[in-house]
Amino acid sequence: MRLSNIKEILPTLENVEFQLENGTFVPEHFHVTEVGQITKNFIDCGGTIRSEKVVNFQLWNANDFEHRLKPNKLLNIIKLSEEKLSIEDAEIEVEYQNDTIGKYDIEFNGKTFVLISKTTACLAQDACGIQSDKENKKLVELTANSTNACKPGGGCC
């Protein structure tokens, strides 16, 4: 979800709710302690120089159990960060601490914002010799159809 998407959704809500993929809700007394833009410049294992920009929201739970972040307040925080930090309309990444600080993509299910777990991946699979999922599936199919499948000397092990 891009920043522009959340700005369109917030005015239609009565409450701001975040939920993890497993259905667990972020406690309703959460705070958005940071809104910023993160730029990551890096080189992948294949030698390609890359750059990523995300808008970062940090969620935090405090002991003030009566606190509730209203949609208009979050919209004002976003507008202020756009004005003061020149934040671009980029994909949103949410930081939220469960067992450790996790980074999440965000989707909207019509009522709540759902935090989608992020995963790592090799960006230069061709340079690393890693087969794509499609190539792995084809190899499994070929092996399953072979009479020599998974026998010594059969070529699959």
Side-chain angles (χ1 to χ4, degrees), residues 139-155:
L139 180 60
V140 168
E141 289 171 358
L142 287 174
T143 304
N145 294 331
S146 171
T147 56
N148 294 328
C150 294
K151 294 193 286 186

Side-chain angles (χ1 to χ4, degrees), residues 119-138:
T119 58
T120 59
C122 178
L123 298 176
Q125 289 184 5
D126 55 333
C128 291
I130 307 285
Q131 293 180 339
S132 70
D133 288 341
K134 189 175 182 179
E135 290 170 331
N136 284 336
K137 185 176 179 180
K138 185 177 178 182

Side-chain angles (χ1 to χ4, degrees), residues 86-132:
S86 301
I87 291 177
E88 299 173 19
D89 182 28
E91 290 293 318
I92 298 171
E93 177 179 87
V94 177
E95 287 182 3
Y96 176 63
Q97 184 165 347
N98 215 348
D99 295 328
T100 186
I101 297 171
K103 292 185 177 190
Y104 300 88
D105 287 326
I106 184 174
E107 293 179 357
F108 186 67
N109 68 10
K111 184 174 189 260
T112 62
F113 294 103
V114 181
L115 303 181
I116 307 298
S117 297
K118 295 182 88 159
T119 58
T120 59
C122 178
L123 298 176
Q125 289 184 5
D126 55 333
C128 291
I130 307 285
Q131 293 180 339
S132 70

Side-chain angles (χ1 to χ4, degrees), residues 6 22 32 40 42 52-53 67 83-84 127 141-142 150:
I6 201 167
N22 67 9
V32 174
K40 178 180 171 184
F42 60 101
E52 293 179 354
K53 282 187 183 179
H67 177 267
E83 177 186 318
K84 299 292 183 181
E141 289 171 358
L142 287 174
C150 294

Side-chain angles (χ1 to χ4, degrees), residues 16-33:
V16 181
E17 297 177 319
F18 287 92
Q19 181 180 21
L20 299 171
E21 282 179 290
N22 67 9
T24 304
F25 280 87
V26 171
E28 58 189 357
H29 59 275
F30 75 92
H31 291 251
V32 174
T33 56

